[in-house]
Amino acid sequence: MKMIDYEAARTVFENYLNGYDRDNDKVRLKIIHTYGVVEMSTEIAERLGLDREDVSLARIIALLHDIGRFEQLKRYDSFMPDTMDHASFGVHILFREGMIRRFVPEDTWDEVIETAVARHSDFILEGISDERALLHARIIRDADKLDNCRVKLTDDLETFMGADAREIGASAISEKIRKDSFEGRSILSADRVTLMDYWVSYLAYFYDMNFRESLDIVEENDYVRRIIRRIPYTQPDTKKTMEELERRLVRYVHEAKQKN
């Protein structure tokens, strides 16, 4: 069984990060997030009972999935998708410019790694025919969302939302966002208008979980209630919507586990 040397790849990654401002709050958030996704990818792969090769493959994909983010932050100081498609840029530097060989000397897993990095932030995951590539695309998408639960609970709101909790909770929710979240749909980034639209879109991630094992982690950590209750909702309609969304999402996570 072939193995990827994760520790060697991590050393290369750390050297790569030296080209960016580690003291910048957004850069620091993404570094912590990267290693959080590595942890979540490892846990999902192990809960799925995958062999050592696929666990190591899940780990390296997690390490590299957001590599394009750092250049996006350097150029635009923004996470917004209209500034840069960070997934496509990550694929470009890894596979078009050849940086992948610094992380993984063999080309054995290139197709799987490239597909997973390229597709990790797609609105809908579709059109992947290779079973192994699809498996790892699903793992990285779930792991990314699971660590984003940690981000939404612990990281500074001003850093990733550009506003504090009171300002977020005082804003309204657009009707389309409210409807989509109630009807079990993920939120298209282009549809978000208000601060609360962004907050609701992070909760709608739960509709796009691929594995029962991922939903187990959501339920075990009570992520739905904890994330929703981080914000004090002072706008009356927003408060009412969030109370109902909490009920619907808690029920959805529990019921979806039974189907997966």
Side-chain angles (χ1 to χ4, degrees):
M1 182 183 295
K2 295 180 180 179
M3 296 295 294
I4 296 170
D5 189 339
Y6 172 80
E7 292 304 325
R10 175 172 174 155
T11 298
V12 175
F13 183 67
E14 285 292 323
N15 289 333
Y16 175 78
L17 293 175
N18 289 334
Y20 299 90
D21 182 6
R22 290 173 177 264
D23 292 327
N24 179 286
D25 287 342
K26 293 186 179 74
V27 171
R28 186 165 57 249
L29 184 152
K30 277 299 163 184
I31 294 171
I32 294 169
H33 170 66
T34 294
Y35 290 122
V37 176
V38 171
E39 182 179 340
M40 287 294 97
S41 289
T42 304
E43 183 165 355
I44 293 169
E46 290 177 346
R47 288 190 185 214
L48 287 168
L50 301 185
D51 62 28
R52 289 180 62 206
E53 183 180 339
D54 276 307
V55 172
S56 68
L57 185 51
R59 285 166 63 80
I60 200 70
I61 289 168
L63 185 73
L64 300 176
H65 84 285
D66 261 357
I67 196 167
R69 281 291 193 197
F70 301 100
E71 191 64 25
Q72 181 186 21
L73 291 172
K74 186 175 184 178
R75 295 183 188 184
Y76 304 105
D77 191 36
S78 173
F79 296 128
M80 293 298 102
D82 59 343
T83 61
M84 178 187 283
D85 183 338
H86 74 284
S88 293
F89 185 77
V91 166
H92 176 79
I93 61 176
L94 287 170
F95 293 95
R96 306 300 169 260
E97 296 183 0
M99 191 186 293
I100 187 64
R101 295 285 79 83
R102 291 162 55 185
F103 295 97
V104 185
E106 295 182 63
D107 63 3
T108 305
W109 306 278
D110 278 8
E111 181 179 353
V112 175
I113 297 171
E114 180 173 351
T115 299
V117 172
R119 306 296 300 277
H120 82 270
S121 59
D122 282 8
F123 182 59
I124 298 173
L125 187 63
E126 57 187 4
I128 301 176
S129 57
D130 182 82
E131 289 186 7
R132 197 178 197 191
L134 179 58
L135 169 67
H136 283 281
R138 286 173 170 166
I139 291 172
I140 189 60
R141 286 169 67 88
D142 279 13
D144 199 11
K145 292 177 177 68
L146 287 170
D147 187 68
N148 266 306
C149 291
R150 177 198 57 76
V151 170
K152 302 309 177 283
L153 284 170
T154 65
D155 285 354
D156 180 56
L157 290 166
E158 292 274 5
T159 300
F160 67 86
M161 288 286 291
D164 63 23
R166 289 187 179 185
E167 188 177 356
I168 297 166
S171 68
I173 300 171
S174 302
E175 178 55 28
K176 187 175 191 314
I177 302 303
R178 187 196 67 81
K179 184 177 180 181
D180 284 349
S181 68
F182 277 10
E183 294 181 0
R185 292 192 290 270
S186 296
I187 306 300
L188 188 64
S189 60
D191 290 338
R192 301 178 297 187
V193 178
T194 71
L195 287 167
M196 275 303 305
D197 289 350
Y198 280 81
W199 192 248
V200 171
S201 74
Y202 302 141
L203 290 154
Y205 284 165
F206 296 123
Y207 295 129
D208 192 37
M209 290 288 185
N210 292 282
F211 301 108
R212 177 186 59 77
E213 290 77 5
S214 302
L215 292 165
D216 283 340
I217 295 170
V218 171
E219 198 167 63
E220 288 164 13
N221 289 277
D222 199 20
Y223 278 142
V224 172
R225 292 186 183 90
R226 291 171 62 204
I227 293 172
I228 287 177
R229 295 177 188 183
R230 184 177 185 187
I231 302 294
Y233 306 105
T234 54
Q235 208 274 3
D237 289 339
T238 294
K239 180 178 175 63
K240 182 178 179 181
T241 295
M242 296 308 290
E243 288 171 350
E244 178 61 24
L245 183 58
E246 179 179 313
R247 287 190 289 270
R248 291 179 184 229
L249 276 172
V250 168
R251 182 171 63 248
Y252 171 82
V253 170
H254 183 72
E255 293 177 353
K257 285 175 49 179
Q258 316 308 317
K259 298 176 183 177
N260 284 334

